[in-house]
Amino acid sequence: MKIFTTILILFVSNIIVAQTASLFGKIIDSRKAEPVPFAAITINHQAQKGLSGWGSKTTNADDKGWFRIDSLKEGDYSIIITAVGYLAKTYPVITFKKDTVILLEADLYVPCKYDDKKNDPTCPKCHKKNKVVPIVYGLPVGELDEDNYYYAGCEISLCDPNWYCKRDKTKF
Ligand SMILES: [Zn+2]
């Protein structure tokens, strides 16, 4: 009778331990360094070796930015975090081992209006590129090359223009 009981307990605890990994974390606004409330966290199990993944789980952070997802099986997961007014953040592969809790502090960025012109030096005013130079931030090293660059000083935010049109004196 005693042996039976011990085996039963091991068996039960084995089930509980072997299948639980958890994801626990907080969502932060990268600019304000404040929590982002009610972000959506979606975790997708990755298919591997011919086996399909079991699917996905979604949860929402609370009003202080905290979230937790339990009862995850061992394996590789991708994580996508979305919140209204922020760029989505993706973690392509995070590996969960059994009986572990992974802590995640995710910082979300507010989209920058200059991002879509980052690789396109076409001036929005004159629609030409021939008087457009890259904007340089920070202290220049050595001589200033003001023909080919626009030096904008050290004041940077998380959303700054990338190009300067000398014809229109426009930053974009
Ligand atoms: Zn222009």
Side-chain angles (χ1 to χ4, degrees):
M1 192 59 212
K2 202 178 178 187
I3 291 169
F4 177 77
T5 310
T6 308
I7 292 170
L8 189 66
I9 290 167
L10 280 175
F11 184 56
V12 169
S13 64
N14 214 22
I15 290 172
I16 295 165
V17 171
Q19 297 195 349
T20 49
S22 297
L23 177 66
F24 177 58
K26 189 167 195 182
I27 315 294
I28 305 283
D29 180 309
S30 62
R31 191 198 296 260
K32 299 181 202 158
E34 286 173 0
V36 176
F38 313 123
I41 300 96
T42 300
I43 181 162
N44 291 295
H45 190 226
Q46 307 280 294
Q48 53 187 340
K49 290 177 193 162
L51 301 168
S52 52
W54 57 256
S56 65
K57 283 188 177 191
T58 300
T59 193
N60 282 93
D62 65 16
D63 59 344
K64 303 278 193 294
W66 292 101
F67 69 93
R68 181 174 183 123
I69 301 176
D70 289 314
S71 306
L72 297 169
K73 293 178 184 173
E74 270 191 287
D76 292 337
Y77 291 80
S78 64
I79 300 171
I80 301 165
I81 299 168
T82 55
V84 175
Y86 292 91
L87 292 172
K89 180 144 194 170
T90 303
Y91 298 86
V93 182
I94 294 185
T95 301
F96 286 77
K97 297 214 159 59
K98 66 181 178 183
D99 202 22
T100 56
V101 176
I102 290 188
L103 299 173
L104 178 69
E105 188 179 276
D107 49 345
L108 296 186
Y109 288 83
V110 173
C112 172
K113 63 179 173 176
Y114 301 115
D115 281 353
D116 57 341
K117 295 291 266 176
K118 209 165 194 169
N119 300 309
D120 177 16
T122 307
C123 173
K125 282 196 176 170
C126 63
H127 303 290
K128 290 177 182 168
K129 300 180 185 183
N130 63 337
K131 290 284 181 187
V132 173
V133 295
I135 297 176
V136 175
Y137 296 93
L139 288 172
V141 179
E143 246 177 82
L144 292 182
D145 178 4
E146 289 181 336
D147 290 338
N148 297 307
Y149 296 95
Y150 179 84
Y151 291 91
C154 292
E155 256 185 61
I156 53 168
S157 67
L158 286 170
C159 182
D160 296 296
N162 304 290
W163 305 102
Y164 179 74
C165 178
K166 293 178 170 182
R167 187 181 291 113
D168 305 305
K169 298 185 170 47
T170 297
K171 294 177 191 174
F172 61 96

